[in-house]
Amino acid sequence: MKNKPEIVIVRKRGVIVIPKNIREALGIEEGDILRVSLEEDKIILSKESFWEKLFDSAKGIYSPDDAELELDAD
């Protein structure tokens, strides 16, 4: 997807508005989770699904191998 660059203004507390055409192209809606990262001198916003966020937060707590062993035990 290639869109023309948009200009936004940073408001109080760092708030910006993602332009409507970009939100629509990516299917971003109110309440969606975005990952914010820095690559050199660029800010990168990436849409994440709820499940990706949930599984990422559980890393190290419960491994897929542990889950498989538990399922096999039943």
Side-chain angles (χ1 to χ4, degrees), residues 15-34:
V15 172
I16 64 167
V17 174
I18 300 170
K20 183 178 180 181
N21 63 326
I22 293 174
R23 291 192 319 265
E24 287 177 344
L26 295 176
I28 296 172
E29 298 177 350
E30 183 176 349
D32 283 349
I33 298 169
L34 300 178

Side-chain angles (χ1 to χ4, degrees), residues 58-74:
K59 281 184 181 171
I61 296 172
Y62 202 68
S63 76
D65 292 335
D66 292 339
E68 189 173 343
L69 288 172
E70 188 172 315
L71 288 172
D72 288 343
D74 289 338

Side-chain angles (χ1 to χ4, degrees), residues 12-67:
K12 203 181 273 190
R13 298 185 61 214
V15 172
I16 64 167
V17 174
I18 300 170
K20 183 178 180 181
N21 63 326
I22 293 174
R23 291 192 319 265
E24 287 177 344
L26 295 176
I28 296 172
E29 298 177 350
E30 183 176 349
D32 283 349
I33 298 169
L34 300 178
R35 179 180 300 268
V36 181
S37 58
L38 184 62
E39 290 183 14
E40 295 181 20
D41 64 341
K42 295 180 180 2
I43 298 169
I44 309 297
L45 293 174
S46 306
K47 183 177 176 184
E48 289 200 8
S49 76
F50 169 78
W51 296 109
E52 286 177 54
K53 180 69 175 169
L54 180 66
F55 292 136
D56 281 349
S57 67
K59 281 184 181 171
I61 296 172
Y62 202 68
S63 76
D65 292 335
D66 292 339

Side-chain angles (χ1 to χ4, degrees), residues 1-6 21-22 25-26:
M1 177 187 90
K2 187 75 172 172
N3 281 352
K4 81 175 186 119
E6 298 277 348
N21 63 326
I22 293 174
L26 295 176

